[in-house]
PDB file of all heavy atoms in Angstrom:
ATOM      1  N   ALA A 339      51.570  61.279 128.603  1.00  0.00           N
ATOM      2  CA  ALA A 339      51.098  60.989 127.248  1.00  0.00           C
ATOM      3  C   ALA A 339      50.772  62.271 126.491  1.00  0.00           C
ATOM      4  O   ALA A 339      51.068  62.398 125.299  1.00  0.00           O
ATOM      5  CB  ALA A 339      49.871  60.079 127.314  1.00  0.00           C
ATOM      6  N   PHE A 340      50.182  63.261 127.185  1.00  0.00           N
ATOM      7  CA  PHE A 340      49.848  64.513 126.519  1.00  0.00           C
ATOM      8  C   PHE A 340      51.096  65.370 126.281  1.00  0.00           C
ATOM      9  O   PHE A 340      51.151  66.136 125.317  1.00  0.00           O
ATOM     10  CB  PHE A 340      48.822  65.302 127.343  1.00  0.00           C
ATOM     11  CG  PHE A 340      47.416  64.843 127.138  1.00  0.00           C
ATOM     12  CD1 PHE A 340      46.803  63.994 128.042  1.00  0.00           C
ATOM     13  CD2 PHE A 340      46.695  65.237 126.025  1.00  0.00           C
ATOM     14  CE1 PHE A 340      45.510  63.555 127.858  1.00  0.00           C
ATOM     15  CE2 PHE A 340      45.396  64.810 125.821  1.00  0.00           C
ATOM     16  CZ  PHE A 340      44.805  63.960 126.739  1.00  0.00           C
ATOM     17  N   ARG A 341      52.096  65.235 127.157  1.00  0.00           N
ATOM     18  CA  ARG A 341      53.330  66.003 126.960  1.00  0.00           C
ATOM     19  C   ARG A 341      54.078  65.571 125.716  1.00  0.00           C
ATOM     20  O   ARG A 341      54.892  66.327 125.185  1.00  0.00           O
ATOM     21  CB  ARG A 341      54.232  65.857 128.190  1.00  0.00           C
ATOM     22  CG  ARG A 341      53.818  66.740 129.359  1.00  0.00           C
ATOM     23  CD  ARG A 341      54.941  66.864 130.378  1.00  0.00           C
ATOM     24  NE  ARG A 341      55.196  65.603 131.051  1.00  0.00           N
ATOM     25  CZ  ARG A 341      54.576  65.215 132.160  1.00  0.00           C
ATOM     26  NH1 ARG A 341      53.648  65.991 132.711  1.00  0.00           N
ATOM     27  NH2 ARG A 341      54.863  64.056 132.730  1.00  0.00           N
ATOM     28  N   PHE A 342      53.771  64.382 125.228  1.00  0.00           N
ATOM     29  CA  PHE A 342      54.408  63.914 123.999  1.00  0.00           C
ATOM     30  C   PHE A 342      54.099  64.841 122.831  1.00  0.00           C
ATOM     31  O   PHE A 342      54.941  65.057 121.957  1.00  0.00           O
ATOM     32  CB  PHE A 342      53.918  62.489 123.687  1.00  0.00           C
ATOM     33  CG  PHE A 342      54.303  62.009 122.323  1.00  0.00           C
ATOM     34  CD1 PHE A 342      55.580  61.562 122.063  1.00  0.00           C
ATOM     35  CD2 PHE A 342      53.380  62.014 121.288  1.00  0.00           C
ATOM     36  CE1 PHE A 342      55.939  61.116 120.802  1.00  0.00           C
ATOM     37  CE2 PHE A 342      53.719  61.577 120.023  1.00  0.00           C
ATOM     38  CZ  PHE A 342      55.011  61.123 119.778  1.00  0.00           C
ATOM     39  N   TYR A 343      52.904  65.431 122.830  1.00  0.00           N
ATOM     40  CA  TYR A 343      52.514  66.299 121.724  1.00  0.00           C
ATOM     41  C   TYR A 343      53.316  67.595 121.697  1.00  0.00           C
ATOM     42  O   TYR A 343      53.371  68.274 120.659  1.00  0.00           O
ATOM     43  CB  TYR A 343      51.021  66.636 121.814  1.00  0.00           C
ATOM     44  CG  TYR A 343      50.115  65.454 121.584  1.00  0.00           C
ATOM     45  CD1 TYR A 343      49.624  64.704 122.654  1.00  0.00           C
ATOM     46  CD2 TYR A 343      49.745  65.081 120.305  1.00  0.00           C
ATOM     47  CE1 TYR A 343      48.792  63.626 122.442  1.00  0.00           C
ATOM     48  CE2 TYR A 343      48.911  64.000 120.079  1.00  0.00           C
ATOM     49  CZ  TYR A 343      48.437  63.270 121.163  1.00  0.00           C
ATOM     50  OH  TYR A 343      47.618  62.198 120.946  1.00  0.00           O
ATOM     51  N   PHE A 344      53.921  67.973 122.817  1.00  0.00           N
ATOM     52  CA  PHE A 344      54.627  69.244 122.906  1.00  0.00           C
ATOM     53  C   PHE A 344      56.118  69.052 123.157  1.00  0.00           C
ATOM     54  O   PHE A 344      56.836  70.020 123.396  1.00  0.00           O
ATOM     55  CB  PHE A 344      54.037  70.094 124.036  1.00  0.00           C
ATOM     56  CG  PHE A 344      52.542  70.253 123.941  1.00  0.00           C
ATOM     57  CD1 PHE A 344      51.694  69.478 124.712  1.00  0.00           C
ATOM     58  CD2 PHE A 344      51.984  71.164 123.056  1.00  0.00           C
ATOM     59  CE1 PHE A 344      50.321  69.605 124.630  1.00  0.00           C
ATOM     60  CE2 PHE A 344      50.611  71.312 122.965  1.00  0.00           C
ATOM     61  CZ  PHE A 344      49.775  70.530 123.746  1.00  0.00           C
ATOM     62  N   SER A 345      56.595  67.824 123.098  1.00  0.00           N
ATOM     63  CA  SER A 345      58.001  67.560 123.341  1.00  0.00           C
ATOM     64  C   SER A 345      58.840  68.036 122.162  1.00  0.00           C
ATOM     65  O   SER A 345      58.403  68.031 120.998  1.00  0.00           O
ATOM     66  CB  SER A 345      58.226  66.061 123.569  1.00  0.00           C
ATOM     67  OG  SER A 345      59.596  65.767 123.660  1.00  0.00           O
ATOM     68  N   SER A 346      60.064  68.456 122.460  1.00  0.00           N
ATOM     69  CA  SER A 346      60.974  68.914 121.416  1.00  0.00           C
ATOM     70  C   SER A 346      61.773  67.775 120.802  1.00  0.00           C
ATOM     71  O   SER A 346      62.524  67.982 119.854  1.00  0.00           O
ATOM     72  CB  SER A 346      61.950  69.948 121.995  1.00  0.00           C
ATOM     73  OG  SER A 346      62.699  69.384 123.063  1.00  0.00           O
ATOM     74  N   GLN A 347      61.629  66.563 121.344  1.00  0.00           N
ATOM     75  CA  GLN A 347      62.365  65.418 120.834  1.00  0.00           C
ATOM     76  C   GLN A 347      61.536  64.680 119.784  1.00  0.00           C
ATOM     77  O   GLN A 347      60.312  64.650 119.841  1.00  0.00           O
ATOM     78  CB  GLN A 347      62.711  64.458 121.978  1.00  0.00           C
ATOM     79  CG  GLN A 347      63.571  65.098 123.064  1.00  0.00           C
ATOM     80  CD  GLN A 347      63.826  64.138 124.212  1.00  0.00           C
ATOM     81  OE1 GLN A 347      63.275  63.047 124.254  1.00  0.00           O
ATOM     82  NE2 GLN A 347      64.670  64.558 125.147  1.00  0.00           N
ATOM     83  N   SER A 348      62.233  64.069 118.827  1.00  0.00           N
ATOM     84  CA  SER A 348      61.592  63.267 117.772  1.00  0.00           C
ATOM     85  C   SER A 348      60.506  64.066 117.074  1.00  0.00           C
ATOM     86  O   SER A 348      59.351  63.656 117.005  1.00  0.00           O
ATOM     87  CB  SER A 348      61.020  61.962 118.347  1.00  0.00           C
ATOM     88  OG  SER A 348      62.034  61.222 118.983  1.00  0.00           O
ATOM     89  N   GLY A 349      60.891  65.222 116.530  1.00  0.00           N
ATOM     90  CA  GLY A 349      59.907  66.102 115.913  1.00  0.00           C
ATOM     91  C   GLY A 349      59.187  65.463 114.742  1.00  0.00           C
ATOM     92  O   GLY A 349      57.961  65.587 114.609  1.00  0.00           O
ATOM     93  N   SER A 350      59.908  64.760 113.860  1.00  0.00           N
ATOM     94  CA  SER A 350      59.269  64.173 112.679  1.00  0.00           C
ATOM     95  C   SER A 350      58.325  63.048 113.069  1.00  0.00           C
ATOM     96  O   SER A 350      57.216  62.941 112.530  1.00  0.00           O
ATOM     97  CB  SER A 350      60.343  63.651 111.723  1.00  0.00           C
ATOM     98  OG  SER A 350      61.139  62.659 112.362  1.00  0.00           O
ATOM     99  N   ARG A 351      58.732  62.204 114.030  1.00  0.00           N
ATOM    100  CA  ARG A 351      57.859  61.118 114.465  1.00  0.00           C
ATOM    101  C   ARG A 351      56.634  61.672 115.172  1.00  0.00           C
ATOM    102  O   ARG A 351      55.519  61.157 115.000  1.00  0.00           O
ATOM    103  CB  ARG A 351      58.619  60.183 115.400  1.00  0.00           C
ATOM    104  CG  ARG A 351      59.772  59.447 114.737  1.00  0.00           C
ATOM    105  CD  ARG A 351      60.492  58.560 115.721  1.00  0.00           C
ATOM    106  NE  ARG A 351      59.596  57.535 116.259  1.00  0.00           N
ATOM    107  CZ  ARG A 351      59.935  56.720 117.246  1.00  0.00           C
ATOM    108  NH1 ARG A 351      61.134  56.811 117.798  1.00  0.00           N
ATOM    109  NH2 ARG A 351      59.088  55.821 117.683  1.00  0.00           N
ATOM    110  N   ARG A 352      56.819  62.734 115.967  1.00  0.00           N
ATOM    111  CA  ARG A 352      55.683  63.331 116.658  1.00  0.00           C
ATOM    112  C   ARG A 352      54.701  63.929 115.657  1.00  0.00           C
ATOM    113  O   ARG A 352      53.486  63.818 115.810  1.00  0.00           O
ATOM    114  CB  ARG A 352      56.166  64.397 117.629  1.00  0.00           C
ATOM    115  CG  ARG A 352      55.029  64.982 118.485  1.00  0.00           C
ATOM    116  CD  ARG A 352      55.533  66.015 119.470  1.00  0.00           C
ATOM    117  NE  ARG A 352      55.950  67.238 118.819  1.00  0.00           N
ATOM    118  CZ  ARG A 352      57.203  67.597 118.635  1.00  0.00           C
ATOM    119  NH1 ARG A 352      58.189  66.821 119.061  1.00  0.00           N
ATOM    120  NH2 ARG A 352      57.512  68.725 118.029  1.00  0.00           N
ATOM    121  N   LEU A 353      55.215  64.566 114.604  1.00  0.00           N
ATOM    122  CA  LEU A 353      54.345  65.148 113.584  1.00  0.00           C
ATOM    123  C   LEU A 353      53.531  64.062 112.878  1.00  0.00           C
ATOM    124  O   LEU A 353      52.329  64.238 112.637  1.00  0.00           O
ATOM    125  CB  LEU A 353      55.182  65.927 112.573  1.00  0.00           C
ATOM    126  CG  LEU A 353      54.402  66.570 111.418  1.00  0.00           C
ATOM    127  CD1 LEU A 353      53.377  67.561 111.939  1.00  0.00           C
ATOM    128  CD2 LEU A 353      55.363  67.242 110.446  1.00  0.00           C
ATOM    129  N   LYS A 354      54.172  62.934 112.566  1.00  0.00           N
ATOM    130  CA  LYS A 354      53.437  61.836 111.930  1.00  0.00           C
ATOM    131  C   LYS A 354      52.335  61.318 112.844  1.00  0.00           C
ATOM    132  O   LYS A 354      51.218  61.047 112.393  1.00  0.00           O
ATOM    133  CB  LYS A 354      54.407  60.713 111.567  1.00  0.00           C
ATOM    134  CG  LYS A 354      55.415  61.074 110.492  1.00  0.00           C
ATOM    135  CD  LYS A 354      56.375  59.917 110.245  1.00  0.00           C
ATOM    136  CE  LYS A 354      57.432  60.289 109.207  1.00  0.00           C
ATOM    137  NZ  LYS A 354      58.400  59.180 108.997  1.00  0.00           N
ATOM    138  N   TYR A 355      52.663  61.186 114.131  1.00  0.00           N
ATOM    139  CA  TYR A 355      51.678  60.682 115.084  1.00  0.00           C
ATOM    140  C   TYR A 355      50.500  61.643 115.207  1.00  0.00           C
ATOM    141  O   TYR A 355      49.335  61.228 115.223  1.00  0.00           O
ATOM    142  CB  TYR A 355      52.346  60.461 116.442  1.00  0.00           C
ATOM    143  CG  TYR A 355      51.417  59.900 117.497  1.00  0.00           C
ATOM    144  CD1 TYR A 355      51.112  58.548 117.545  1.00  0.00           C
ATOM    145  CD2 TYR A 355      50.840  60.739 118.451  1.00  0.00           C
ATOM    146  CE1 TYR A 355      50.265  58.021 118.503  1.00  0.00           C
ATOM    147  CE2 TYR A 355      49.982  60.221 119.425  1.00  0.00           C
ATOM    148  CZ  TYR A 355      49.710  58.876 119.437  1.00  0.00           C
ATOM    149  OH  TYR A 355      48.859  58.376 120.394  1.00  0.00           O
ATOM    150  N   ILE A 356      50.780  62.936 115.287  1.00  0.00           N
ATOM    151  CA  ILE A 356      49.714  63.936 115.402  1.00  0.00           C
ATOM    152  C   ILE A 356      48.832  63.918 114.166  1.00  0.00           C
ATOM    153  O   ILE A 356      47.591  64.008 114.258  1.00  0.00           O
ATOM    154  CB  ILE A 356      50.316  65.331 115.645  1.00  0.00           C
ATOM    155  CG1 ILE A 356      50.974  65.386 117.035  1.00  0.00           C
ATOM    156  CG2 ILE A 356      49.248  66.413 115.522  1.00  0.00           C
ATOM    157  CD1 ILE A 356      51.692  66.690 117.311  1.00  0.00           C
ATOM    158  N   LEU A 357      49.429  63.798 112.983  1.00  0.00           N
ATOM    159  CA  LEU A 357      48.641  63.750 111.757  1.00  0.00           C
ATOM    160  C   LEU A 357      47.744  62.508 111.724  1.00  0.00           C
ATOM    161  O   LEU A 357      46.584  62.577 111.304  1.00  0.00           O
ATOM    162  CB  LEU A 357      49.570  63.775 110.539  1.00  0.00           C
ATOM    163  CG  LEU A 357      50.304  65.101 110.282  1.00  0.00           C
ATOM    164  CD1 LEU A 357      51.268  64.948 109.110  1.00  0.00           C
ATOM    165  CD2 LEU A 357      49.310  66.228 110.000  1.00  0.00           C
ATOM    166  N   LEU A 358      48.277  61.368 112.165  1.00  0.00           N
ATOM    167  CA  LEU A 358      47.471  60.152 112.203  1.00  0.00           C
ATOM    168  C   LEU A 358      46.313  60.293 113.195  1.00  0.00           C
ATOM    169  O   LEU A 358      45.173  59.902 112.899  1.00  0.00           O
ATOM    170  CB  LEU A 358      48.343  58.960 112.588  1.00  0.00           C
ATOM    171  CG  LEU A 358      49.309  58.448 111.509  1.00  0.00           C
ATOM    172  CD1 LEU A 358      50.228  57.380 112.088  1.00  0.00           C
ATOM    173  CD2 LEU A 358      48.548  57.893 110.314  1.00  0.00           C
ATOM    174  N   MET A 359      46.581  60.857 114.378  1.00  0.00           N
ATOM    175  CA  MET A 359      45.523  61.035 115.368  1.00  0.00           C
ATOM    176  C   MET A 359      44.476  62.034 114.883  1.00  0.00           C
ATOM    177  O   MET A 359      43.276  61.847 115.112  1.00  0.00           O
ATOM    178  CB  MET A 359      46.132  61.509 116.690  1.00  0.00           C
ATOM    179  CG  MET A 359      46.958  60.459 117.404  1.00  0.00           C
ATOM    180  SD  MET A 359      45.994  58.992 117.836  1.00  0.00           S
ATOM    181  CE  MET A 359      44.811  59.687 118.975  1.00  0.00           C
ATOM    182  N   ALA A 360      44.914  63.092 114.189  1.00  0.00           N
ATOM    183  CA  ALA A 360      43.967  64.072 113.658  1.00  0.00           C
ATOM    184  C   ALA A 360      43.080  63.434 112.592  1.00  0.00           C
ATOM    185  O   ALA A 360      41.861  63.649 112.557  1.00  0.00           O
ATOM    186  CB  ALA A 360      44.714  65.275 113.092  1.00  0.00           C
TER     187      ALA A 360
END
Side-chain angles (χ1 to χ4, degrees):
F340 278 99
R341 281 196 292 271
F342 169 78
Y343 293 94
F344 308 100
S345 174
S346 59
Q347 300 177 354
S348 303
S350 60
R351 295 179 61 188
R352 185 179 71 255
L353 179 60
K354 294 177 182 178
Y355 182 80
I356 292 175
L357 290 176
L358 286 173
M359 290 299 296

